[in-house]
Amino acid sequence: MNVLVNITFDGTNYHGTQIQSNADTVFSRFQNALVKVLGKPTDIKACSRLDSGVHANCFYLSFYADDGLDVRHLHFALNYHLPPDIRALGAEVVPDGFHRRYSCKGKEYTYYMWNSHTDNPFLEKYYYRVPQKLNVDLMNEAAQHFVGTHDFTSFMASNSKITDCVRTVSYAKVERDGDMVKFIVCADGFLYNMVRIMAGTLIRVGRGYIAVNDVKTIIESKDRQKAGVTVPAKGLFLSKVIY
Amino acid sequence: MNVLVNITFDGTNYHGTQIQSNADTVFSRFQNALVKVLGKPTDIKACSRLDSGVHANCFYLSFYADDGLDVRHLHFALNYHLPPDIRALGAEVVPDGFHRRYSCKGKEYTYYMWNSHTDNPFLEKYYYRVPQKLNVDLMNEAAQHFVGTHDFTSFMASNSKITDCVRTVSYAKVERDGDMVKFIVCADGFLYNMVRIMAGTLIRVGRGYIAVNDVKTIIESKDRQKAGVTVPAKGLFLSKVIY
């Protein structure tokens, strides 16, 4: 049977989600735990690739298991073998044709910015601090230019090999909650560093360096140099996977 | 001039706030930073004693400095020398007679419980997890027995040397926010481990082991054995200091 497991993790100490030789990754930790639970190695597929240091409120992994596996209690067994910064939340049986990556209809990312002169010692692993006052209304207006189907070449890491850069953003918003400013964006797919470059560009809008409509021009330019910097991975969370 | 500094810290890696030989404390870290800023050692007083592992959203320290110190920007200078898990939030000049401890009218503590089968990897250093369903309404009702002036001997660590155990609790409440359950209590003073024993007792109410009115009986008994366990320090935050 095809089993889908939902996990959440603090990515601070991991080199992303992919399997890599000589690197401690979320994937390798999950694989080790699953071998202990099942008693044998199994091929595991992930819903997405996440870079070093990126966090996930939810992340899906799937594998084929023998019938009779106690799926309802599987996450307890996995958590026994997983480190405290990776937690399995639940598991379910999905149809055989279900592919954890290609069956996914969209993903939502949240980028957290802490808009204060002073760091918050409890959250500082989970945001990028911007000391200068951010105008969140302008940032939210600018983010609306991302919505729709566009070629996002300007928002892709310049060393990426991808050639089809057209993606469809279903919603994007910027909200403030006290000193925390959140940029939330949902799309059918994301290019390498796309959310982090989008956030870096919106920060330029929020600080008044560029205008709201400049974001439209930046998209149309298809030029990475026109967009803002790639802000640090530590503020980025995969917040929803939509099946 | 008498200077009062407001700091916030993650207490996970510190042996409390007192100065201790051979122990890394919040106090010693602050002292080291202040020497670097002022260029000479100064006597520092703290608003409260906090145990190993307890956190603070706010915590006050005061010291006498030469006139002319730039108090408005002092916290930036301190933060340059403080570790990331201790942050100075601001500083102000207070009257000479002001004593950071005895001028304090009350303190509010918040104890965080995570009521779920699964830990939250982003917050797990900051709560005590209770997997069994907690009835928060009953816990809140029981907490009202703490309000008023009582002898809190039942809620003091049995090895404490204090003899006057009468304290006045001005408010107490238990609230749920999703899986997070918060116990908030404000008093003119607290006995050793008082909030942690109160929380341990309220958890017994929330799990249905004891009744709401048993808390009244426990207070009246003046017997530490009757109250609940001392729950871990990591869920405890000094959340307000009232001057």
Side-chain angles (χ1 to χ4, degrees), chain A residues 67-111:
Chain A
D67 287 350
L69 180 73
D70 178 2
V71 173
R72 243 185 93 195
H73 296 101
L74 179 65
H75 63 293
F76 294 119
L78 287 168
N79 284 336
Y80 184 78
H81 298 290
L82 284 168
D85 51 6
I86 305 176
R87 295 287 88 188
L89 299 172
E92 60 185 311
V93 177
V94 287
D96 268 3
F98 184 93
H99 189 293
R100 76 291 153 218
R101 189 157 179 193
Y102 301 110
S103 300
C104 155
K105 293 194 185 69
K107 280 173 212 137
E108 181 198 270
Y109 282 92
T110 303
Y111 194 87

Side-chain angles (χ1 to χ4, degrees), chain A residues 183-197:
Chain A
F183 165 48
I184 302 162
V185 57
C186 183
D188 58 351
F190 289 88
L191 302 167
Y192 190 50
N193 285 351
M194 180 165 154
V195 183
R196 291 161 62 187
I197 301 169

